Amino acid sequence: MKLKSIVVFCASSYGNTTVYREQAAHVGKVFAERGIQLVYGGGKVGLMGTVANAALDAGGSVIGVIPHFLNSKEREHTGVTKLITVETMHDRKRIMNEHADGVIALPGGFGTLEELFEMITWAQLGLHKKPVGLLNTNGFYTNLIKFIDHMVDEGLLRTENRAMLLVGETIEELLGKMESHEPPTVTKWIEKDEI
């Protein structure tokens, strides 16, 4: 499947090592080179700003979606192709999802994880069939991946639902997995009495 537009969730800070910033810039550049439109949170700072600027600098298209309470001269990116202002954080995720064929999480904090897990939950519930990916830059998400596998081991997450979260060490590897992604044919609840 050719991905024309991808949501990227990531930090509004840079982190303590330059590798996160370097890889965020690489993601933006690769998107532009492949003709993939970037959809992201609309900020101009941190990894968010880095991925957007790199895509724009390479001639790519960028849609930013930002809640009005974050929309200030200090935070909003006025140089994006299109900036959409929304009322709530939930509206932000809904609009971002509507504008994209897939979802990727780069390194980030609580906000990034919340966004990622809502999108994978929507997929698990059959609300969308888009590929959801985790870019494990410099092993950032290795412990989280182990914990998700622990959920499977403990019988709290189905193997087929775990397989819905695609993981790549590089953006090229991850995009390859996303492009060949086949969504499962079942949703979370297989048995009627299961909750």
Side-chain angles (χ1 to χ4, degrees):
M1 167 178 66
K2 169 66 175 161
L3 299 169
K4 297 178 181 176
S5 184
I6 297 177
V7 168
V8 169
F9 297 126
C10 59
S12 58
S13 57
Y14 295 112
N16 294 331
T17 177
T18 59
V19 69
Y20 301 132
R21 194 170 186 171
E22 291 164 0
Q23 287 306 302
H26 182 63
V27 168
K29 183 173 182 281
V30 168
F31 275 28
E33 290 171 350
R34 296 191 182 195
I36 299 171
Q37 180 174 252
L38 169 66
V39 181
Y40 85 117
K44 68 177 183 180
V45 296
L47 300 183
M48 290 174 63
T50 300
V51 69
N53 287 333
L56 292 166
D57 290 347
S61 175
V62 177
I63 295 178
V65 184
I66 192 166
H68 69 87
F69 67 89
L70 293 178
N71 192 345
S72 68
K73 291 181 180 177
E74 289 75 33
R75 295 192 178 129
E76 72 174 356
H77 195 314
T78 57
V80 296
T81 310
K82 182 178 183 180
L83 185 66
I84 301 170
T85 303
V86 297
E87 288 301 309
T88 68
M89 295 294 278
H90 181 75
D91 290 338
R92 181 195 221 179
K93 285 175 287 191
R94 179 180 54 80
I95 295 295
M96 291 169 84
N97 181 56
E98 289 173 1
H99 281 82
D101 305 319
V103 176
I104 293 176
L106 274 57
F110 283 155
T112 301
L113 291 178
E114 183 270 333
E115 292 162 332
L116 168 70
F117 281 117
E118 183 152 2
M119 290 298 110
I120 195 70
T121 300
W122 289 3
Q124 179 179 257
L125 295 173
L127 299 177
H128 72 75
K129 297 185 179 296
K130 301 171 184 181
V132 179
L134 199 57
L135 186 58
N136 192 26
T137 300
N138 200 39
F140 181 81
Y141 284 118
T142 297
N143 289 331
L144 177 64
I145 295 161
K146 288 178 183 176
F147 180 70
I148 293 170
D149 291 336
H150 177 65
M151 293 177 184
V152 176
D153 293 342
E154 293 298 310
L156 298 171
L157 179 66
R158 284 197 175 90
T159 303
E160 59 268 25
N161 294 137
R162 162 62 184 91
M164 296 171 76
L165 182 60
L166 308 172
V167 178
E169 303 300 313
T170 67
I171 188 60
E172 292 84 359
E173 176 193 3
L174 185 55
L175 288 174
K177 289 181 178 182
M178 293 175 74
E179 288 167 353
S180 61
H181 171 69
E182 293 290 337
T185 56
V186 296
T187 57
K188 178 175 167 46
W189 292 286
I190 297 172
E191 303 293 336
K192 288 184 181 178
D193 61 347
E194 227 175 319
I195 58 171

